[in-house]
Amino acid sequence: MKVLTSVVNNPIFIEIQYYTLKKFLHCDYEFIVFNDAKPFPDFTNGKDVSVRYKIFETCNNLGIQCILVDNLHQQSMDCPVVRCAEAMNFMYDYMLKNKDEYLILDSDMFLISDLDINKYR
């Protein structure tokens, strides 16, 4: 099983997800972060272009696979919904090419108690 999340602006959420998954998800899984931070100043990164690097660095320190999302977003700067949809489509394409079971978490979603995936299979 693979657990996927898309991170735009807060590498701290990666650490929280990593540790809560370790504590509460009791099955074999791979945690994969899709790095959707922008390489250009944007309101989603607080005009801080280093966020993209910080996400990679956090993943590297925790041993998490980090996949860079193609940033097609500069054309859709005024519409966050379009940017989010593009990132989700990128993740969906990944899932189609890599058949497995998936749990998709928004970057600010965290397990707070045990999760038995077998109950939902």
Side-chain angles (χ1 to χ4, degrees), residues 12 14-15 21 37 47 54 71 77 79 90 106 113 118:
I12 294 168
I14 298 167
E15 290 184 55
L21 286 167
K47 309 276 188 219
K54 291 174 186 173
N71 287 121
M77 289 271 294
C79 187
F90 189 88
D106 199 6
S113 64
N118 292 319

Side-chain angles (χ1 to χ4, degrees), residues 103-118:
L103 172 63
I104 301 170
L105 299 174
D106 199 6
S107 63
D108 60 355
M109 292 174 65
F110 315 104
L111 297 181
I112 58 171
S113 64
D114 291 334
L115 175 60
D116 181 2
I117 288 296
N118 292 319

Side-chain angles (χ1 to χ4, degrees), residues 7 9-18 55 58 107 110:
V7 179
N9 61 5
N10 200 337
I12 294 168
F13 289 167
I14 298 167
E15 290 184 55
I16 298 169
Q17 282 185 328
Y18 174 82
I55 291 170
T58 300
S107 63
F110 315 104

Side-chain angles (χ1 to χ4, degrees), residues 34-102:
F34 285 78
N35 186 344
D36 193 27
K38 312 306 176 285
F40 50 86
D42 182 52
F43 74 91
T44 62
N45 60 16
K47 309 276 188 219
D48 179 2
V49 296
S50 72
V51 171
R52 184 181 236 195
Y53 172 76
K54 291 174 186 173
I55 291 170
F56 272 118
E57 188 176 64
T58 300
C59 290
N60 188 47
N61 290 341
L62 295 171
I64 300 169
Q65 181 181 1
C66 186
I67 297 173
L68 183 63
V69 173
D70 291 334
N71 287 121
L72 310 170
H73 311 310
Q74 195 147 12
Q75 294 82 18
S76 56
M77 289 271 294
D78 295 332
C79 187
V81 173
V82 172
R83 286 199 306 273
C84 180
E86 289 171 350
M88 294 300 105
N89 284 336
F90 189 88
M91 289 172 63
Y92 181 68
D93 289 342
Y94 172 88
M95 292 186 294
L96 289 175
K97 293 174 188 167
N98 299 277
K99 300 293 183 193
D100 205 335
E101 292 181 311
Y102 288 94

